[in-house]
Every structure is written in structure tokens, then in C-alpha cells.
Amino acid sequence: MTVLHDFRMLQAVEQAGGLAIAFNANEFSLPYSTISLASTSIADLKEILQVWQKGGRKGVERLVKEKEKAGGKGDRENFHWTSGRKDLDQIIALHKRIRRVVREEAGKLG
């Protein structure tokens, strides 16, 4: 999950051509990210990071756009290519919902 000041870090990474990942992010961070993942498991990033090592940004872009087109698996693997995207309302709503799910599950742990 991101906090208000995370946008500066994401912005710097994105501007440098890196991979600025917004995980269960808020509306302040998403506009500055390269990709976003709304999920109950950060392990969903494993494949993305493996592709980054081999294929760089272009490889990740192809994979994320394929995953975005296929759609998430419930509360998992909800990827979006956010670099340059203007309309983020649906993505913001999805991230907000997943953050709520994660918080509810964490609350059950005590």
C-alpha cells in the first residue's frame, strides 16, 4: 500500500524509465506509477519482476497489458499499465476495494 509521499518516489522511477509499481495504491500514487497491482498477495509480482530482469520495460509492458486484458482473478492479479494513462477512476476504485479486503483480513489476525 502506498502513502501520500510515495508519489515522489514513483514519479522519479517512472521518469527514469524504471518500473514504478503501485501496489494496492491510493489516488495520489497511481498517476505516477508505471504499473499497478491490486491484489491480496504481493507474490503476484513475481512473474512481472522475472520479465523485468529479462525483457526490461518493454517486456513488462507486454505482459501487464496481456494480464490487464485477461482480467484479474477475483482479489488477485489485477494488473494495469498506468504509465501515461489519464482515466484512473476504475483502477482507483479497485485498489480501494482490495485495500479494504486486506485490512479486514489483517483485522481477523488480531
Side-chain angles (χ1 to χ4, degrees), residues 52-105:
W52 172 258
Q53 288 180 322
K54 295 176 184 172
R57 188 176 168 106
K58 290 290 183 189
V60 170
E61 182 176 4
R62 278 190 299 274
L63 178 59
V64 167
K65 286 182 175 180
E66 287 172 15
K67 288 182 172 290
E68 184 174 351
K69 187 175 179 181
K73 297 176 182 171
D75 293 340
R76 299 272 312 263
E77 298 186 23
N78 294 285
F79 287 97
H80 295 92
W81 184 261
T82 51
S83 180
R85 185 177 262 174
K86 300 297 180 204
D87 183 17
L88 296 169
D89 291 343
Q90 288 182 321
I91 298 169
I92 290 168
L94 175 62
H95 280 250
K96 183 177 182 179
R97 183 182 70 75
I98 297 296
R99 280 197 315 274
R100 189 176 329 112
V101 168
V102 170
R103 287 183 183 137
E104 287 171 0
E105 289 300 312

Side-chain angles (χ1 to χ4, degrees), residues 23 37 39-47 76:
F23 177 71
L37 170 61
S39 178
T40 56
S41 177
I42 199 160
D44 292 344
L45 280 174
K46 184 178 180 180
E47 183 181 8
R76 299 272 312 263

